[in-house]
Amino acid sequence: MKNIYGLKGNFVYTQDFGKFKIEENKIIIIENGIIKGIYNELPFHYKDIKVIDYKDKLIIPGFVDLHLHAPQFPNMGLGVDKELIPWLNCYTFPEESKYSDLKYAERVYRLLIKELWNVGTTRCCVFSTIHKDSTKLLFDLFNESGLGAYVGKVNMDRECPDVLIEDTIQSLKETELIAKEYINKYSLVKPIITPRFVPSCSFEMLKGLGEIAEKYDLPVQSHLCENTNEIEFVKTLEPESKNYSDVYYKANLFRENKTIMAHCIWLNENEIELLSKSKVFVAHCPTSNLNLSSGIAPIRKLIEKGINVGLASDISGGHTLSMPEVIVSSAQVSNLKWLYSNKTDEKLSTAELFYLATKGGGKFFGKVGSFEEGYEFDALVIDDMALNINNNLSLEERVQKFLYKGKEKNIIERYVRGNVVKEPKI
Ligand code: GUN
Ligand code: FE
């Protein structure tokens, strides 16, 4: 049976990179979760459907967080005065070792999902830990919530504390078991192959994961060129490879339009070409990159090379799950990059960053992150009355104001694939 309804309000989205599309006081029609169109008046053949009138409120696409670590939720705001490797050793690995305990995992994962809901993230790509059972629990809890997610069991077989080192064969076996169990189990929550990064994975592990990804046609996520010490470490571990990217490439982990690499701050020209040619997505994580003193990624350059980019919180390198806060950080690092490049590296505008946080990352999920016909209807309804002291703001200015000054309480409804998502129980 067809489920058709309409919503009335002010729609703001970015069909094209850098350009807000404004549909003021319009009606959107949703059929089985998919957008049929946006109209000035209710078309005659829809005259009997239910239309929810949101009056003067803003309706924007839900946010997409392209990279985050679920087990690091309790660590947000801790150790963020360190660099990557000491931070991993002092804070991250000790916390991640706790997720063999299912009770502990359940408590944290429920809180995490509730906070994702709270901040208006409707889709995300998530790392769990090496632990099979708590990873399965994370799939189930996301499904229960109604939010969309790719969930990956992390693989690690070298250069980390004993409690987190996996046997390579066993790790690959468990990864394949999860893939088989979850590939068709849920419609909004799907598995993703997740080698932590090259320093934590032997080449045998990476190759094995590349084979599983190929066999089940699965997406892949990992980290790349985040920190200069990390890159030096990769050179000593994989001296045969041309560069860091080449290690993943040789393991068949650069899957066309199906791989996300987080960070990509220090890529050389050959690596940028390789990522572009391989159609790898980049997850830009500016809050994390600021906290861990990692650097500023060359986002405009990557986009100009044809690379798909999305934004990401990377908690707990990042200290917040809020994508509006990530947008603000992205703008600020881009402003500094512009200034320190003698004003040659053009800044990223609010409309460009809004695109990256919605349609840019949404592309990884299919037709997600926009209000064009045929897109899945993921949306946030925003009551920004209290934010507007000056009532003459344009809709575009109201969106900017919400991104910079809005709070979670301004989001009064969340939709994922056409369904209202209620506050998750904890
Ligand atoms: N590189 C390898 N593991 C991690 C992690 O957990 N967070 C970040 N930011 N970088 C990593
Ligand atoms: Fe990360």
Side-chain angles (χ1 to χ4, degrees):
M1 215 186 66
K2 276 188 191 168
N3 174 16
I4 308 183
Y5 65 90
L7 301 181
K8 198 165 178 206
N10 298 311
F11 298 87
V12 182
Y13 59 105
T14 42
Q15 181 166 348
D16 302 312
F17 180 57
K19 210 162 128 220
F20 279 118
K21 191 143 183 167
I22 311 278
E23 313 263 16
E24 187 168 0
N25 196 23
K26 299 269 179 92
I27 298 172
I28 197 165
I29 306 290
I30 315 297
E31 183 177 317
N32 295 336
I34 306 296
I35 296 165
K36 297 301 285 181
I38 299 186
Y39 306 89
N40 293 327
E41 304 286 341
L42 192 62
F44 183 73
H45 59 286
Y46 290 127
K47 69 179 175 16
D48 295 327
I49 69 170
K50 181 175 141 197
V51 177
I52 306 167
D53 189 353
Y54 285 112
K55 305 219 157 59
D56 191 40
K57 293 181 180 52
L58 291 172
I59 304 176
I60 62 173
F63 292 116
V64 179
D65 187 339
L66 219 46
H67 176 98
L68 69 100
H69 299 262
Q72 295 176 25
F73 183 68
N75 272 0
M76 282 194 299
L78 294 180
V80 281
D81 47 1
K82 294 189 182 302
E83 271 193 76
L84 176 64
I85 307 284
W87 170 80
L88 283 172
N89 288 323
C90 293
Y91 284 92
T92 310
F93 292 153
E95 180 59 30
E96 289 195 12
S97 69
K98 297 177 187 169
Y99 291 76
S100 53
D101 178 345
L102 271 180
K103 275 220 166 68
Y104 181 76
E106 176 164 359
R107 193 161 71 85
V108 173
Y109 289 166
R110 282 191 185 278
L111 289 169
L112 165 87
I113 290 169
K114 184 171 170 182
E115 181 60 7
L116 283 165
W117 174 90
N118 189 36
V119 297
T121 294
T122 45
R123 309 258 182 166
C124 55
C125 295
V126 186
F127 285 53
S128 64
T129 57
I130 60 165
H131 307 99
K132 175 162 79 34
D133 292 337
S134 54
T135 300
K136 288 168 61 163
L137 178 69
L138 187 57
F139 277 92
D140 301 338
L141 294 176
F142 264 113
N143 178 61
E144 190 183 305
S145 77
L147 299 176
Y150 281 109
V151 174
K153 181 201 116 52
V154 169
N155 305 92
M156 305 160 73
D157 67 349
R158 68 176 176 188
E159 301 294 340
C160 53
D162 287 349
V163 280
L164 289 176
I165 291 203
E166 298 177 289
D167 171 73
T168 312
I169 302 297
Q170 179 70 11
S171 175
L172 292 169
K173 238 188 225 158
E174 291 185 355
T175 303
E176 185 162 2
L177 278 176
I178 291 179
K180 275 202 233 173
E181 182 171 345
Y182 285 93
I183 197 162
N184 292 317
K185 187 163 185 178
Y186 301 132
S187 73
L188 280 165
V189 186
K190 298 281 180 188
I192 182 165
I193 296 298
T194 306
R196 175 166 220 118
F197 66 159
V198 168
S200 308
C201 294
S202 66
F203 194 71
E204 184 192 352
M205 174 80 96
L206 294 173
K207 248 182 115 217
L209 292 172
E211 283 162 17
I212 296 172
E214 172 88 24
K215 183 169 169 191
Y216 297 93
D217 194 19
L218 291 175
V220 175
Q221 59 180 353
S222 194
H223 299 90
L224 176 61
C225 291
E226 174 177 5
N227 172 288
T228 49
N229 294 333
E230 170 205 14
I231 295 168
E232 289 308 309
F233 194 26
V234 168
K235 274 186 199 155
T236 65
L237 291 167
E238 299 295 334
E240 313 279 277
S241 290
K242 281 188 229 144
N243 50 49
Y244 194 161
S245 306
D246 188 44
V247 187
Y248 293 122
Y249 178 74
K250 285 195 306 196
N252 291 323
L253 288 165
F254 279 176
R255 310 202 69 234
E256 208 169 296
N257 290 318
K258 283 183 179 264
T259 293
I260 302 170
M261 287 287 145
H263 307 298
C264 298
I265 299 169
W266 302 105
L267 299 173
N268 67 29
E269 296 298 328
N270 292 333
E271 291 180 284
I272 293 177
E273 284 305 321
L274 180 62
L275 262 69
S276 174
K277 189 181 85 179
S278 310
K279 298 195 164 58
V280 168
F281 277 67
V282 169
H284 177 39
C285 313
T287 49
S288 170
N289 301 156
L290 285 166
N291 290 332
L292 301 180
S293 312
S294 303
I296 304 178
I299 295 306
R300 185 172 301 283
K301 181 171 178 182
L302 299 180
I303 291 170
E304 281 172 0
K305 293 282 182 184
I307 294 173
N308 283 311
V309 176
L311 298 187
S313 66
D314 188 31
I315 67 156
S316 64
H319 57 286
T320 172
L321 278 170
S322 160
M323 293 309 290
E325 286 188 50
V326 172
I327 288 175
V328 172
S329 275
S330 302
Q332 291 172 335
V333 298
S334 148
N335 292 349
L336 285 180
K337 193 162 172 46
W338 168 76
L339 195 60
Y340 284 94
S341 69
N342 282 325
K343 307 191 179 179
T344 56
D345 277 349
E346 203 189 322
K347 300 186 223 188
L348 293 164
S349 68
T350 305
E352 287 175 332
L353 291 168
F354 187 84
Y355 175 98
L356 297 185
T358 54
K359 193 174 174 181
K363 256 186 218 174
F364 195 73
F365 292 79
K367 286 192 164 181
V368 168
S370 181
F371 291 151
E372 293 153 65
E373 186 186 342
Y375 273 65
E376 299 184 33
F377 185 65
D378 290 11
L380 308 177
V381 181
I382 292 164
D383 181 349
D384 62 337
M385 257 245 289
L387 295 173
N388 294 336
I389 299 156
N390 168 2
N391 291 324
N392 292 324
L393 296 183
S394 65
L395 285 170
E396 189 169 329
E397 287 170 329
R398 281 172 58 185
V399 169
Q400 191 174 50
K401 186 84 163 176
F402 166 70
L403 295 173
Y404 276 76
K405 295 299 296 173
K407 296 270 182 288
E408 289 76 33
K409 65 176 185 216
N410 296 116
I411 308 173
I412 59 161
E413 205 71 280
R414 290 109 174 124
Y415 288 82
V416 175
R417 202 180 279 164
N419 291 315
V420 170
V421 181
K422 288 290 172 208
E423 180 170 355
K425 292 199 184 67
I426 53 169

